[in-house]
Amino acid sequence: MGQCECILLGILIIAVLLFLLPGCHVQLSEEEILVIQTESISIDTPATVYYGMLHNHSNYSDGKGSPDDAYRYARDTVGLDFFGLSDHAERLTDKEWKSLINTAGRYNQDGVFVAFSGFEWSHNTYGHVTVTNTEDICRANESGTDTFYGLVGWLEERGHSFF
């Protein structure tokens, strides 16, 4: 299992623990870093904890700063292990989408930092879904992916996960 898959599995495990463990809650600090607080958890097997965020926006949609600014800040200033941009698909041009993929690729450093590229599928009825590491993009306002089932079908065709 690669580093990217291990991080996604770790995020899933943390999410499940947050719902199952008593006294466990999440708060966002001023620096917008996810902090997990628990009363006491006993883990028999040593675990590696990775810190990061996967749902962030740049000035390509409704965020501030360029994708370069975001990845650089996450890696060099905050010291995150992983970081992902997921700008609103409906606001991204094809050129910006390719730029997000290329920018994430430049910031990836094996064993040091994982940069995810992604987009946010935003639908007024079905909600918002973050999709990571696809070659292409789909939008909630396009035929074929304008329902949640359409999005799921699109993802299954590509073998990708989403959350």
Side-chain angles (χ1 to χ4, degrees), residues 100-121:
L100 279 177
I101 293 172
N102 293 332
T103 303
R106 286 196 317 274
Y107 281 89
N108 260 322
Q109 294 176 278
D110 288 345
V112 177
F113 183 76
V114 177
F116 290 92
S117 59
F119 62 90
E120 181 177 351
W121 180 88

Side-chain angles (χ1 to χ4, degrees), residues 35-94:
V35 177
I36 300 173
Q37 299 177 339
T38 63
E39 290 175 4
S40 66
I41 300 174
S42 174
I43 300 175
D44 296 332
T45 307
T48 302
V49 178
Y50 296 99
Y51 295 92
M53 297 178 75
L54 292 173
H55 184 115
N56 302 280
H57 298 172
S58 73
N59 60 4
Y60 284 176
S61 64
D62 58 355
K64 293 183 179 178
S66 71
D68 271 302
D69 294 336
Y71 287 112
R72 187 173 36 257
Y73 183 81
R75 184 190 65 192
D76 301 339
T77 303
V78 181
L80 297 179
D81 300 303
F82 63 91
F83 181 82
L85 285 174
S86 54
D87 281 291
H88 294 278
E90 293 73 26
R91 296 185 182 186
L92 285 172
T93 66
D94 289 338

